[in-house]
Amino acid sequence: MVTKPRKTSRAKSKPSPVADFSKQEDFSAYREMLLIRRFEEKAGQLYGMGHIGGFCHLYIGQEAVVVGMQAAIDEGDQLITSYRDHGHMLACGMDAKGVMAELTGRENGYSGGKGGSMHMFSREKNFFGGHGIVGAQVSLGTGLAFANNYRGNDRLSVTYFGDGASNQGQVYESFNMAELWKLPVIYVIENNRYAMGTAVKRSSALTDFSKRGSSFNIPGVQVDGMDVRAVKAAGDEAAAFCRAGKGPIILEMQTYRYRGHSMSDPAKYRSKDEVQKMRAEHDPIEQVKQRLISKKWADEAELKSIDKDIRSLVSEAAEFAMNDKLPDAGELYTDILR
Amino acid sequence: MPIEILMPALSPTMEEGNLAKWLVNEGDKVAAGDVIAEIETDKATMEVEAADEGTVAKLVVAEGSEGVKVNALIALLAEDGEDAGAFASYEPSTIVATTNVVDGSDNAIVEETVESDVSQKVEKIEIGGDSFSGEVETEIPAGTKMIALSVREALRDAMAEEMRIDEDVFIMGEEVAEYQGAYKITQGLLEEFSARRVIDTPITEHGFAGIGVGAAMAGLKPIVEFMTFNFAMQAMDQIINSAAKTLYMSGGQMGAPIVFRGANGAAARVAAQHSQCYAAWFSHIPGLKVIAPYDACDAKGLLKAAIRDPNPIIFLENEILYGRTFNVPDIEDFVLPIGKARIHKTGKDATIVSFSIGMTYAIEAAERLEKEDIDCEIIDLRTIRPLDMETILTSVRKTGRLVCVEEGFPQSSVGSHIASQVMQQAFDWLDAPVITICGKDVPMPYAANLEKLALPNVDEVVEAVKSVSYR
């Protein structure tokens, strides 16, 4: 006798399939992820040399998440994230020079030097920041989706937050209203396994973050966030879901941050072996590289030359950011009110 | 003796209501729990149930009566064995309310009889008269037709007018739509603008404040109603860190054109967690504008200005003032400037600076002082941030004496900031140290006598003005 499986919840936790990438898609993903990687490495260096101050949170290891999502959404869709935001800005097309100049606190930085690493925005690219209070961007991103819904346009909001923010109260307040009002928002939970230094299993009662919307009937999917093709496939489905007017959806991106929480984090809470294993076996960029080579879409020399181009682009950005002027003292009192 | 049925209080601040309808006739038998009448307040229509069983002996207040005071005798109930007919000529010991009807004429002076110790002065706004300064006259042209409006109606009209003009304006908050507003400020808006633009939220201030700010960053112009500002504490991070700071952090690229509005300050007998003035808190923050109007005219003109303003605005209303009626100019599109204080009354001997409900103490104190030959100038700040120091300094340079009045706590109060500014900018004009009258430095108690002690009072203001006048 065959019994039909009973559907108990819209939430599902099985991994989504990977998208079949064309040569061009793999090349784009490789370039975009490598840009983020090299940019972040450079930012780390500049921080060490004292050119970047304050807090600086690097995205190294997590590149496939934002690059895959960008490939899945359309121009005009909005992005918002936390303070670990450099990768998101580069992925949505913001200029590396402007981002780096903001890191060094200079006048041609995206915020004129007033925001720094954690606070950059671009109206033009629909990038809404860059927010420093853990979880606050979730309500704000839901508000962006509210505006889309109010205007009746076809846009959606991609709202990124981490496993740490997933325990904040306002996240659930936002989930409730997003589902209640069927707002077009993709909640991308970047589960990099550590909320600052606290491992997921030490901070979260329910470690399957794709199920965090189940009390609100928001569907969720766990995604291999180290594989850009899996991210793209999940992003495509989620975008179609939102654009069909079905309301919010959660994508739990299982990813990993190679560096510390911020530059001042010695990362004593995890073993070097753990980090090494992730790098060796799951690196998002290495995966694409191996694919490009095994499919004979590129050879080592060609990929090296791409890397070289990116390195020089990043060096130029760093050069620009260190030589750009400090903001004029008169800027202290501008942009407080309109 | 018959059982006296008295006009019930249906909310903490209700002082009177209308007896809309009797559901029983004289001679009817009623049981405890039977609905016997419908009462209308300015906020809602409520049913009155009999608390005892008996026979309706006399309906003392006729249906349709307006302005029936709380605790006025409205009916008599004969107990078992009593002759219901015998009480036909029963004389109540309590006072039966009189009816105050706004006559609707252009210069109607609206009477409000309120039984609290908070000033219940009749507001007389006569254009061209002494009550208005020259500055205000420029805001309202002489000869303008005035209409009597409650603060509540003025706020509602302001929102409705702006929503008619601008499709991007919407209101969200708890009970703003189907309930018609917890304090009835949004009455009728749902019917006119539909559920798309008048949005009931769940009780999640942190979340919906953030959603409002996000929508504002995307270019909409939300009005977020906090049922009272006490609940805005839940949303403080979104107001301060997201709404107020984003314009600066983004180097001017994006800000949040949003109005957070609702009842602020002490209401009546609602204790510590529901009775607090947040004017000083919000006024601390660069990137916010903070408005706290006293009368209906300013409430309307400033709320319209706030909705149009591209910055995040904190608009502090006062529950006790909601029902007060004032004259409002009958001008299409009446908008007032944010950041300009209003000289409520000119005077030469001492300056009293206040805002919101603090004005009630200031006005009554000034009237009493007038009789003792002290001529006070009263400044209504209207906007707390940006603060109109120029108007205050000009007045202080004239009178040489300053008393600040507010209901908020004393430490780091609005008054203490003004006092420090006046000391720094007009020290040589001061004839006496500035006195700040505030609420007492205690959480608001519930007991009526203690609550009264915790709030400022007219005597304190009178004493302070005499003290700075060395009288």
Coordinates of all heavy atoms in Angstrom, one line a residue, chain A residues 220-273:
Chain A
G220 N 11.2 27.8 3.8 CA 12.7 28.0 3.8 C 13.4 26.9 3.2 O 12.9 25.8 3.1
V221 N 14.6 27.2 2.7 CA 15.4 26.2 2.0 C 16.8 26.3 2.5 O 17.3 27.4 2.7 CB 15.4 26.4 0.5 CG1 16.2 25.3 -0.2 CG2 14.0 26.5 -0.1
Q222 N 17.4 25.1 2.8 CA 18.9 25.1 3.1 C 19.7 25.0 1.8 O 19.4 24.2 1.0 CB 19.2 24.0 4.0 CG 18.9 24.3 5.5 CD 19.4 23.2 6.4 OE1 19.4 22.0 6.1 NE2 19.8 23.6 7.6
V223 N 20.7 25.8 1.7 CA 21.4 25.9 0.4 C 22.9 25.7 0.7 O 23.4 26.3 1.7 CB 21.2 27.3 -0.3 CG1 21.9 27.3 -1.6 CG2 19.7 27.5 -0.4
D224 N 23.6 25.0 -0.1 CA 25.1 25.0 0.0 C 25.6 26.3 -0.5 O 25.8 26.6 -1.7 CB 25.6 23.8 -0.9 CG 27.1 23.8 -0.9 OD1 27.8 24.6 -0.2 OD2 27.7 22.9 -1.5
G225 N 25.9 27.1 0.5 CA 26.3 28.5 0.2 C 27.8 28.6 -0.2 O 28.3 29.7 -0.5
M226 N 28.5 27.5 -0.3 CA 29.8 27.5 -0.9 C 29.8 27.2 -2.4 O 30.9 27.3 -3.0 CB 30.7 26.4 -0.1 CG 30.8 26.6 1.4 SD 31.4 28.2 1.9 CE 33.2 27.9 1.9
D227 N 28.7 26.8 -2.9 CA 28.6 26.5 -4.3 C 27.7 27.5 -5.0 O 26.5 27.6 -4.8 CB 28.0 25.1 -4.5 CG 27.9 24.6 -5.9 OD1 28.0 25.5 -6.8 OD2 27.7 23.4 -6.2
V228 N 28.3 28.3 -5.8 CA 27.6 29.5 -6.4 C 26.4 29.0 -7.3 O 25.4 29.7 -7.4 CB 28.6 30.3 -7.2 CG1 29.2 29.6 -8.4 CG2 28.0 31.7 -7.5
R229 N 26.6 27.8 -7.8 CA 25.5 27.3 -8.7 C 24.2 26.9 -7.8 O 23.1 27.1 -8.2 CB 25.9 26.0 -9.4 CG 27.1 26.3 -10.4 CD 27.7 25.0 -10.9 NE 28.0 24.0 -9.8 CZ 28.2 22.7 -9.9 NH1 28.2 22.2 -11.1 NH2 28.5 22.0 -8.9
A230 N 24.5 26.4 -6.6 CA 23.4 26.1 -5.7 C 22.7 27.4 -5.3 O 21.5 27.4 -5.2 CB 23.9 25.3 -4.5
V231 N 23.5 28.4 -5.0 CA 23.0 29.7 -4.6 C 22.1 30.2 -5.7 O 21.0 30.7 -5.4 CB 24.1 30.6 -4.2 CG1 23.5 32.0 -3.9 CG2 24.9 30.1 -3.0
K232 N 22.6 30.2 -6.9 CA 21.9 30.8 -8.0 C 20.5 30.0 -8.2 O 19.5 30.7 -8.4 CB 22.8 30.6 -9.3 CG 22.0 30.8 -10.6 CD 21.8 32.3 -11.0 CE 21.5 32.5 -12.5 NZ 20.3 31.9 -13.0
A233 N 20.6 28.7 -8.1 CA 19.3 27.9 -8.3 C 18.3 28.3 -7.3 O 17.1 28.5 -7.6 CB 19.7 26.4 -8.3
A234 N 18.8 28.4 -6.0 CA 17.8 28.7 -4.9 C 17.3 30.1 -5.1 O 16.2 30.4 -4.8 CB 18.6 28.5 -3.6
G235 N 18.2 31.0 -5.5 CA 17.9 32.4 -5.7 C 16.8 32.6 -6.8 O 15.9 33.3 -6.7
D236 N 17.0 31.8 -7.9 CA 16.0 31.8 -9.0 C 14.6 31.4 -8.5 O 13.6 32.1 -8.8 CB 16.4 30.9 -10.1 CG 17.6 31.4 -11.0 OD1 17.8 32.7 -11.0 OD2 18.2 30.6 -11.7
E237 N 14.6 30.4 -7.8 CA 13.3 29.9 -7.3 C 12.7 30.9 -6.3 O 11.5 31.1 -6.4 CB 13.5 28.5 -6.5 CG 13.1 27.3 -7.3 CD 13.1 26.1 -6.4 OE1 12.4 26.1 -5.4 OE2 13.8 25.1 -6.8
A238 N 13.5 31.4 -5.4 CA 13.0 32.3 -4.4 C 12.5 33.6 -5.1 O 11.4 34.1 -4.7 CB 14.1 32.7 -3.4
A239 N 13.2 34.1 -6.1 CA 12.8 35.3 -6.8 C 11.5 35.1 -7.5 O 10.6 35.9 -7.4 CB 13.9 35.8 -7.8
A240 N 11.3 33.9 -8.1 CA 10.1 33.6 -8.8 C 8.9 33.5 -7.8 O 7.8 34.0 -8.1 CB 10.2 32.3 -9.6
F241 N 9.2 33.0 -6.7 CA 8.2 32.8 -5.6 C 7.7 34.2 -5.2 O 6.5 34.5 -5.1 CB 8.9 32.1 -4.4 CG 7.9 31.8 -3.3 CD1 7.2 30.6 -3.2 CD2 7.8 32.7 -2.2 CE1 6.4 30.4 -2.1 CE2 7.0 32.4 -1.1 CZ 6.3 31.3 -1.1
C242 N 8.7 35.1 -4.9 CA 8.3 36.5 -4.4 C 7.6 37.2 -5.5 O 6.6 37.9 -5.3 CB 9.6 37.3 -4.1 SG 10.3 36.8 -2.5
R243 N 8.1 37.1 -6.7 CA 7.4 37.9 -7.8 C 6.1 37.4 -8.2 O 5.2 38.1 -8.8 CB 8.3 37.9 -9.1 CG 9.5 38.8 -8.9 CD 10.2 39.1 -10.2 NE 11.6 39.0 -10.2 CZ 12.5 39.9 -9.6 NH1 12.0 41.0 -9.2 NH2 13.8 39.7 -9.6
A244 N 5.8 36.1 -7.8 CA 4.4 35.6 -8.0 C 3.5 36.1 -7.0 O 2.3 35.7 -6.9 CB 4.5 34.1 -8.1
G245 N 3.9 36.9 -6.0 CA 3.1 37.5 -5.0 C 2.8 36.5 -3.9 O 1.8 36.7 -3.1
K246 N 3.7 35.5 -3.7 CA 3.5 34.5 -2.7 C 4.1 34.9 -1.3 O 4.0 34.2 -0.4 CB 4.1 33.2 -3.1 CG 3.3 32.6 -4.3 CD 4.0 31.3 -4.7 CE 3.3 30.7 -5.9 NZ 4.0 29.5 -6.5
G247 N 4.7 36.1 -1.3 CA 5.2 36.6 0.0 C 6.7 36.2 0.2 O 7.4 35.9 -0.8
P248 N 7.1 36.3 1.5 CA 8.6 36.1 1.7 C 9.0 34.7 1.7 O 8.2 33.8 1.8 CB 8.7 36.7 3.2 CG 7.3 36.4 3.8 CD 6.3 36.6 2.7
I249 N 10.3 34.5 1.5 CA 10.9 33.2 1.6 C 12.3 33.3 2.2 O 12.9 34.3 2.1 CB 11.0 32.6 0.1 CG1 11.5 31.1 0.1 CG2 11.8 33.5 -0.8 CD1 11.3 30.4 -1.2
I250 N 12.7 32.2 2.9 CA 14.0 32.2 3.6 C 15.0 31.3 2.8 O 14.6 30.1 2.5 CB 13.8 31.7 5.0 CG1 13.0 32.7 5.8 CG2 15.2 31.4 5.7 CD1 12.6 32.2 7.2
L251 N 16.2 31.7 2.6 CA 17.2 30.9 2.1 C 18.3 30.8 3.1 O 18.9 31.9 3.5 CB 17.8 31.4 0.8 CG 16.8 31.6 -0.4 CD1 17.5 32.2 -1.6 CD2 16.1 30.3 -0.8
E252 N 18.5 29.7 3.7 CA 19.7 29.5 4.6 C 20.9 29.1 3.8 O 21.0 28.0 3.3 CB 19.4 28.5 5.7 CG 20.6 28.3 6.6 CD 20.6 27.1 7.5 OE1 19.6 26.4 7.6 OE2 21.7 26.7 8.0
M253 N 21.8 30.1 3.8 CA 23.1 29.8 3.0 C 24.1 29.2 4.0 O 24.5 29.9 4.9 CB 23.6 31.1 2.4 CG 22.7 31.7 1.4 SD 22.5 30.7 0.0 CE 21.3 31.7 -0.9
Q254 N 24.5 28.0 3.8 CA 25.4 27.4 4.7 C 26.8 27.7 4.2 O 27.2 27.2 3.1 CB 25.2 25.9 4.8 CG 23.8 25.6 5.4 CD 23.5 24.1 5.5 OE1 23.7 23.4 4.6 NE2 23.0 23.8 6.7
T255 N 27.5 28.6 4.9 CA 28.7 29.1 4.4 C 29.8 29.1 5.5 O 29.5 28.5 6.5 CB 28.5 30.5 3.8 OG1 29.7 31.0 3.2 CG2 27.9 31.5 4.8
Y256 N 30.9 29.8 5.3 CA 31.9 29.8 6.2 C 32.8 31.0 6.1 O 33.1 31.4 5.0 CB 32.8 28.5 6.1 CG 33.6 28.2 7.3 CD1 33.1 27.6 8.4 CD2 35.0 28.5 7.3 CE1 33.8 27.3 9.5 CE2 35.8 28.2 8.4 CZ 35.2 27.6 9.5 OH 35.9 27.3 10.6
R257 N 33.1 31.6 7.2 CA 34.0 32.8 7.2 C 35.4 32.3 7.6 O 35.6 31.7 8.6 CB 33.4 33.8 8.1 CG 34.3 34.5 9.0 CD 33.6 35.7 9.7 NE 32.8 35.4 10.9 CZ 33.4 35.0 12.0 NH1 34.6 34.8 12.2 NH2 32.6 34.7 13.1
Y258 N 36.4 32.6 6.7 CA 37.7 32.1 6.9 C 38.4 33.0 8.0 O 39.2 32.5 8.8 CB 38.6 32.1 5.7 CG 38.1 31.2 4.5 CD1 38.7 31.3 3.3 CD2 37.2 30.2 4.7 CE1 38.4 30.5 2.3 CE2 36.8 29.4 3.7 CZ 37.4 29.5 2.5 OH 37.0 28.7 1.5
R259 N 38.1 34.3 7.9 CA 38.8 35.2 8.8 C 38.0 35.3 10.1 O 36.9 34.8 10.2 CB 38.9 36.6 8.2 CG 39.8 36.6 6.9 CD 41.2 36.3 7.2 NE 42.1 36.5 6.0 CZ 42.7 37.6 5.7 NH1 42.6 38.7 6.5 NH2 43.4 37.7 4.6
G260 N 38.5 36.1 11.0 CA 37.9 36.3 12.3 C 36.6 37.1 12.1 O 36.3 37.6 11.0
H261 N 35.8 37.3 13.1 CA 34.6 38.1 13.0 C 34.9 39.5 12.5 O 34.3 40.1 11.6 CB 33.9 38.2 14.4 CG 32.9 39.3 14.5 ND1 31.7 39.2 13.9 CD2 32.9 40.5 15.1 CE1 31.0 40.3 14.1 NE2 31.7 41.1 14.9
S262 N 35.9 40.1 13.1 CA 36.5 41.4 12.6 C 38.0 41.3 12.7 O 38.5 40.2 13.1 CB 36.0 42.6 13.5 OG 36.5 42.5 14.8
M263 N 38.6 42.3 12.3 CA 40.1 42.3 12.2 C 40.7 42.0 13.5 O 41.9 41.5 13.6 CB 40.6 43.6 11.6 CG 40.3 43.7 10.1 SD 40.9 42.3 9.1 CE 42.7 42.5 9.4
S264 N 40.1 42.3 14.6 CA 40.7 42.2 15.9 C 40.4 40.8 16.6 O 40.6 40.7 17.8 CB 40.2 43.3 16.8 OG 38.8 43.4 16.8
D265 N 39.8 39.9 15.8 CA 39.4 38.6 16.4 C 40.5 37.6 16.2 O 40.8 37.2 15.0 CB 38.1 38.2 15.6 CG 37.7 36.8 16.0 OD1 38.2 36.2 16.9 OD2 36.8 36.3 15.3
P266 N 41.1 37.0 17.2 CA 42.1 36.0 17.1 C 41.5 34.6 16.8 O 42.3 33.7 16.6 CB 42.8 36.0 18.4 CG 41.8 36.5 19.4 CD 40.9 37.4 18.6
A267 N 40.2 34.5 16.8 CA 39.5 33.2 16.4 C 40.0 32.0 17.3 O 40.3 31.0 16.7 CB 39.7 33.0 14.9
K268 N 40.0 32.2 18.5 CA 40.4 31.1 19.5 C 39.3 30.1 19.7 O 39.5 29.1 20.3 CB 40.8 31.7 20.8 CG 42.0 32.7 20.8 CD 43.1 32.0 21.5 CE 44.2 33.1 21.8 NZ 45.3 33.0 20.8
Y269 N 38.1 30.4 19.2 CA 36.9 29.6 19.4 C 36.8 28.4 18.4 O 35.9 27.7 18.5 CB 35.7 30.4 19.4 CG 35.6 31.4 18.2 CD1 35.2 31.0 17.0 CD2 36.1 32.7 18.4 CE1 35.2 31.9 15.9 CE2 36.1 33.6 17.3 CZ 35.7 33.1 16.1 OH 35.7 34.0 15.0
R270 N 37.7 28.3 17.5 CA 37.7 27.2 16.5 C 39.1 26.8 16.2 O 40.0 27.6 16.4 CB 36.9 27.7 15.2 CG 37.5 28.8 14.5 CD 36.7 29.3 13.3 NE 37.4 30.3 12.6 CZ 36.8 31.0 11.6 NH1 35.6 30.8 11.2 NH2 37.5 31.9 11.0
S271 N 39.2 25.6 15.7 CA 40.6 25.1 15.4 C 41.0 25.5 14.0 O 40.2 25.8 13.1 CB 40.5 23.6 15.5 OG 39.8 23.0 14.4
K272 N 42.3 25.6 13.9 CA 42.9 25.9 12.6 C 42.6 24.8 11.6 O 42.4 25.1 10.4 CB 44.4 26.1 12.7 CG 44.8 27.3 13.4 CD 46.2 27.8 12.9 CE 46.5 29.3 13.2 NZ 46.5 29.6 14.7
D273 N 42.5 23.6 12.0 CA 42.1 22.5 11.1 C 40.8 22.7 10.5 O 40.6 22.3 9.3 CB 42.1 21.2 11.9 CG 43.6 20.7 12.3 OD1 44.5 21.4 11.7 OD2 43.7 19.8 13.0

